[in-house]
Amino acid sequence: MKKIILFFVLLSAVLVSKADQLQALTQVQAETAVAYLKKEPIVILWCSCCDNQTPKKVTVNEVFYKKYPDGKYYSVIVKGRDESGNEVEEYLDLAYVFVKKGKKAKSLGKVLKFECDPCTKPFDWNA
């Protein structure tokens, strides 16, 4: 019985860890991501392994990072507009932020060579 409970606890941890891979960052990671994103006019936000989530194309107006209340980690935030013109302010998980590289959309986490699993392969950029 203990093995079954342990199995489900570990399985839950794996599923939860997929959702927040590159959201809590070091200061260097946050600075690197912000510098990169400041050059990007459009990003696609999409967690393909999250239930019922569709890609959201965002025109970037502002990018910055904030320190977590614990003082140890940082978050990257993007402000902009979606395709419908609605204002967007999102705390980012870099594994699920896609940037244009050639004709493909690639995970920013992978582009910056951070360890992550974006749950999808690069896909065609149709902007």
Side-chain angles (χ1 to χ4, degrees):
M1 185 65 169
K2 287 182 183 179
K3 288 182 181 181
I4 292 172
I5 293 171
L6 180 62
F7 171 76
F8 283 110
V9 168
L10 291 174
L11 180 62
S12 297
V14 168
L15 293 174
V16 169
S17 69
K18 280 262 191 205
D20 295 323
Q21 298 176 63
L22 289 174
Q23 192 166 19
L25 305 166
T26 66
Q27 185 174 359
V28 171
Q29 287 175 315
E31 289 170 349
T32 302
V34 167
Y36 191 98
L37 288 171
K38 282 187 175 187
K39 299 174 191 168
E40 294 297 311
I42 298 171
V43 296
I44 296 172
L45 308 179
W46 182 41
C47 175
S48 66
C49 53
C50 300
D51 290 338
N52 301 320
Q53 205 180 75
T54 58
K56 182 182 351 179
K57 197 174 290 183
V58 175
T59 300
V60 178
N61 293 333
E62 184 181 359
V63 182
F64 56 95
Y65 64 88
K66 280 187 179 178
K67 189 182 279 192
Y68 271 59
D70 69 4
K72 187 175 178 184
Y73 295 104
Y74 296 79
S75 285
V76 174
I77 298 102
V78 66
K79 288 185 177 184
R81 294 201 176 271
D82 67 14
E83 291 180 288
S84 300
N86 299 315
E87 287 188 24
V88 172
E89 181 174 337
E90 296 271 346
Y91 281 72
L92 302 178
D93 184 324
L94 303 184
Y96 310 122
V97 175
F98 293 86
V99 295
K100 186 175 182 183
K101 295 295 285 180
K103 294 182 180 184
K104 297 284 184 182
K106 294 187 178 180
S107 163
L108 180 59
K110 289 289 191 183
V111 169
L112 297 177
K113 296 183 172 43
F114 298 156
E115 187 175 330
C116 66
D117 178 6
C119 300
T120 188
K121 294 182 180 191
F123 53 90
D124 290 335
W125 183 278
N126 297 318

